[in-house]
Amino acid sequence: MKKHIILAVVAALATLTACSNEDEEEPQVPGAEVNFTINNTVTRAVTDANGLTTFKDNDLVYIYSKGLYAQEMNGVDFKVSGTNLTPTSSDVTYRYNGTKGATFTAYHYNNGVITNPITVGNDQSTTGSYQNYDLMTAQVQVNNPSSDAIQFNFKHKFSLVVVDISGIDKLGGSTSIASITINNVKLDATWKSDDNSVTVSGTPTSVKLGKFNDSSNQFWAIVPAQNITSNELIEVVTNTNKVFTYSGTATLSEGKMTKFALTIAGFDEVSATISESAQWGEGSTINQNIEERVLELISTEDGTFTQES
């Protein structure tokens, strides 16, 4: 009887040992070297009225990986060189783990290295300064590793706000726009490399828009994507201290441009058109409105878009 018990215990131990060995991770085997390229037809930052600009040589891209052999990428910096991405340090060669796949996530941020939370500036009134807050990301899942270069297709993660003013001459020949502000906007954003997501937080505040260029009547800003509502959503101030305020709501979508086309028809009248464009910077789609809401011509008494003395 005792022999049978001993044999049973030995068999059980052997089974546990076999299961334990199966649960252990398979040993890593160095696979093909990892290389990257970049789709240079995608815009890095908006520098013309159509949002068309490519990455420039020496722009920095930071890459994260999951599933590589021996060492993962944890925000490793690469330089743009034409359509290629070259590591700034040649000390480490990154390889796949045998024939196993891997995930790669990358970002480019005009203001430099990301530190969460990312805080977008509330004063973008200097011409072109909105470009500092253009966060672009890309994520690629590789299932069949090879030595072929991985191509990143970057997309904008924040939202572009454009206020286009016309009819200023109706206010008098010497009248010009002194400032444009969008209100009740949250400016803190946390980006996660594992799922390429952005979470918006912070206390709502005001953002000063800046001219697209010195001769333009378009004012631009980049902010995290969010829904906003305010009794004074947009405030327009002239050099003669006339103040126009627009009350309403706006959906600022990730990677899209929300354009407020404001036409001043006279001292007490302003008309407004709000439109949303597809992913900005993708060629002709920049001017294709996928949603449009037209507000009727209104006066100061209507209380939706008002002028304050």
Side-chain angles (χ1 to χ4, degrees):
M1 183 67 180
K2 290 182 178 179
K3 290 182 178 179
H4 290 298
I5 294 174
I6 292 172
L7 289 173
V9 172
V10 171
L13 290 173
T15 302
L16 289 172
T17 302
C19 291
S20 177
N21 289 337
E22 289 176 1
D23 291 339
E24 290 180 1
E25 292 184 3
E26 295 180 10
Q28 291 194 335
V29 179
E33 184 176 345
V34 177
N35 297 291
F36 300 101
T37 185
I38 192 170
N39 182 353
N40 214 14
T41 62
V42 179
T43 63
R44 173 183 57 82
V46 184
T47 55
D48 67 26
N50 293 319
L52 298 176
T53 303
T54 60
F55 279 83
K56 304 192 304 290
D57 282 351
N58 298 318
D59 277 345
L60 289 177
V61 170
Y62 300 87
I63 302 177
Y64 296 79
S65 69
K66 185 176 182 181
L68 294 186
Y69 167 76
Q71 185 172 345
E72 298 285 6
M73 299 180 187
N74 188 24
V76 177
D77 48 322
F78 285 69
K79 281 187 177 181
V80 175
S81 178
T83 59
N84 295 317
L85 293 175
T86 306
T88 57
S89 172
S90 58
D91 296 338
V92 181
T93 297
Y94 295 94
R95 294 184 177 276
Y96 292 102
N97 181 16
T99 58
K100 292 183 178 180
T103 303
F104 302 92
T105 309
Y107 78 84
H108 170 81
Y109 187 47
N110 273 12
N111 221 18
V113 177
I114 285 178
T115 301
N116 282 320
I118 307 164
T119 300
V120 173
N122 64 354
D123 187 352
Q124 301 180 34
S125 58
T126 302
T127 301
S129 63
Y130 60 86
Q131 296 179 63
N132 293 333
Y133 307 105
D134 188 15
L135 172 63
M136 299 191 71
T137 69
Q139 189 169 65
V140 178
Q141 173 67 46
V142 177
N143 295 317
N144 300 303
S146 70
S147 58
D148 293 342
I150 301 163
Q151 185 181 73
F152 284 121
N153 293 300
F154 283 85
K155 302 290 184 183
H156 302 281
K157 292 300 283 187
F158 289 162
S159 184
L160 175 63
V161 177
V162 176
V163 176
D164 191 349
I165 299 289
S166 61
I168 300 173
D169 56 309
K170 301 290 177 55
L171 301 178
S174 60
T175 303
S176 61
I177 302 300
S179 67
I180 295 182
T181 302
I182 184 166
N183 299 311
N184 210 33
V185 183
K186 294 180 180 180
L187 295 180
D188 290 339
T190 298
W191 177 72
K192 294 182 180 179
S193 61
D194 55 351
D195 62 358
N196 192 25
S197 65
V198 171
T199 303
V200 182
S201 62
T203 303
T205 187
S206 300
V207 179
K208 291 182 179 180
L209 284 70
K211 276 192 171 186
F212 171 69
N213 58 46
D214 291 336
S215 60
S216 173
N217 285 325
Q218 285 193 1
F219 292 74
W220 294 32
I222 291 177
V223 299
Q226 59 196 281
N227 296 325
I228 54 176
T229 303
S230 176
N231 290 332
E232 296 182 355
L233 185 65
I234 297 177
E235 183 179 83
V236 180
V237 181
T238 71
N239 62 336
T240 56
N241 294 321
K242 295 292 183 182
V243 180
F244 296 90
T245 58
Y246 167 63
S247 302
T249 63
T251 298
L252 308 181
S253 302
E254 182 178 295
K256 294 182 179 180
M257 176 188 72
T258 301
K259 182 177 180 180
F260 298 84
L262 309 181
T263 302
I264 299 174
F267 281 99
D268 294 329
E269 295 180 324
V270 177
S271 63
T273 300
I274 304 174
S275 61
E276 182 180 80
S277 289
Q279 177 85 20
W280 89 70
E282 293 186 349
S284 61
T285 61
I286 190 70
N287 293 318
Q288 181 179 342
N289 295 333
I290 59 175
E291 180 183 9
E292 185 173 71
R293 289 182 290 132
V294 181
L295 306 180
E296 67 275 15
L297 195 66
I298 51 182
S299 67
T300 53
E301 287 77 22
D302 290 325
T304 303
F305 201 117
T306 62
Q307 175 202 329
E308 301 171 358
S309 299

